[in-house]
Amino acid sequence: MKKITAFVLTLIFMLSVAGCASQQDPIERKNIDAKPNKWGVTLQAENVTSSGLTIVCVHSGGENVAELNTGSYYVLQRSEDSEWADVDFLPQEYDIGWTSEAWIIQKESETSWDVNWEWLYGKLPAGKYRIGKEIMNFRETGDYDKETVYAEFIIE
């Protein structure tokens, strides 16, 4: 029982550290190859290493935008023969759990989150990858839409 409690507490700590968000004023970016989704959300990967990166979430414009938010969950995929395949998790003694906080994406602004995946995937080999975040457009209880938005990146 002590092992399970220690594991859960460690997991919560690691996810809270990985999910710390900082908000910055919007800045002009050049050469963004990603296009905004219908709500005006674009993700970009910065500070990429084999064990993590910074996700930059830019909101600009969009249609029918209410309150945008996301959480700690992310998906990591690798390009294999022009197809995207989920990256395999490291063997885990216990099931992986995600915390359920809601990080608000401010309208017409830029937010960033640091992600360290080494505990979950290990260090990644060279290749083309993408990280996806599920974005929710929340209007009211029971009235929302979800869409996964991706940022592509290369590990050399």
Side-chain angles (χ1 to χ4, degrees):
M1 186 64 173
K2 288 182 182 180
K3 283 185 178 181
I4 292 173
T5 302
F7 174 76
V8 170
L9 291 174
T10 302
L11 181 62
I12 289 170
F13 172 75
M14 289 171 42
L15 289 173
S16 66
V17 169
C20 290
S22 65
Q23 295 190 354
Q24 305 169 357
D25 292 330
I27 59 174
E28 183 177 344
R29 296 199 184 278
K30 296 182 179 177
N31 302 322
I32 296 178
D33 54 1
K35 294 183 180 178
N37 73 352
K38 61 188 170 193
W39 303 319
V41 175
T42 304
L43 295 185
Q44 180 177 355
E46 293 186 351
N47 308 318
V48 177
T49 70
S50 62
S51 59
L53 52 70
T54 300
I55 298 174
V56 178
C57 177
V58 178
H59 179 264
S60 180
E63 298 177 12
N64 302 316
V65 176
E67 178 182 279
L68 299 174
N69 61 58
T70 188
S72 64
Y73 173 77
Y74 61 89
V75 62
L76 196 57
Q77 299 178 326
R78 180 182 172 116
S79 178
E80 297 176 1
D81 300 322
S82 300
E83 298 284 328
W84 291 107
D86 289 343
V87 176
D88 292 330
F89 295 129
L90 291 173
Q92 304 286 324
E93 185 175 355
Y94 302 101
D95 290 336
I96 297 166
W98 298 94
T99 56
S100 60
E101 63 274 281
W103 301 332
I104 295 174
I105 299 169
Q106 299 294 327
K107 292 180 181 179
E108 303 301 326
S109 70
E110 179 178 299
T111 304
S112 63
W113 303 285
D114 292 326
V115 176
N116 181 328
W117 57 66
E118 192 169 358
W119 67 276
L120 188 57
Y121 298 103
K123 289 188 175 188
L124 300 179
K128 182 177 180 181
Y129 295 87
R130 71 180 183 175
I131 188 166
K133 295 286 291 173
E134 186 176 75
I135 307 296
M136 178 188 293
N137 186 10
F138 179 83
R139 290 173 289 281
E140 61 181 64
T141 303
D143 184 14
Y144 59 87
D145 297 309
K146 293 181 183 180
E147 182 177 323
T148 302
V149 181
Y150 295 93
E152 295 183 14
F153 60 96
I154 295 175
I155 296 178
E156 297 177 342

